[in-house]
Amino acid sequence: TQLWLKEGVARYLEFVGIDNIFPEWNAWEEFTQGVYGLAQNLDAMISSHPVEVEVKSADEIGEIFDNISYAKGASVIRMISSYVGFSTFLKGMRQYLEKHK
């Protein structure tokens, strides 16, 4: 469903925006403690699931809107952005959005 990708990017970009406007707020410290920490805690549970979840019917959609999709998704997106560099990440985002208008 790629829900994790959409919501993960949105959650990640919240922190990008905050950090650019208010760097004194230490947004990445909050991300690490709040979002990444939550993702790690949830992922350690037996009830955890992969970020990419197959949805077979419309009734199942509500089940995948959970903190794993948001926190784990945002954490994966941040790792990718950190690995490739923010400029390259944004270039890839532009290409993805252009391709999937």
Side-chain angles (χ1 to χ4, degrees):
T1 64
Q2 297 184 346
L3 170 76
W4 75 273
L5 183 59
K6 297 169 190 166
E7 299 304 331
V9 167
R11 186 77 172 116
Y12 167 71
L13 290 177
E14 289 175 34
F15 287 86
V16 170
I18 291 169
D19 187 55
N20 279 298
I21 297 169
F22 302 106
E24 69 278 9
W25 287 8
N26 300 316
W28 295 117
E29 197 172 296
E30 173 61 31
F31 183 95
T32 302
Q33 292 175 10
V35 178
Y36 182 72
L38 176 62
Q40 292 292 305
N41 288 334
L42 292 171
D43 212 23
M45 301 176 99
I46 293 172
S47 60
S48 182
H49 60 78
V51 290
E52 180 65 27
V53 179
E54 184 180 348
V55 176
K56 296 175 185 158
S57 71
D59 296 336
E60 295 177 348
I61 291 174
E63 295 174 23
I64 63 170
F65 278 93
D66 61 8
N67 282 324
I68 291 176
S69 297
Y70 291 88
K72 194 172 170 182
S75 296
V76 169
I77 296 299
R78 183 176 183 214
M79 288 179 211
I80 293 168
S81 177
S82 295
Y83 182 76
V84 301
F86 190 66
S87 303
T88 302
F89 175 77
L90 287 180
K91 182 180 177 185
M93 287 286 300
R94 278 188 217 97
Q95 290 173 346
Y96 177 86
L97 291 172
E98 186 63 33
K99 182 178 178 182
H100 298 283
K101 282 184 186 181

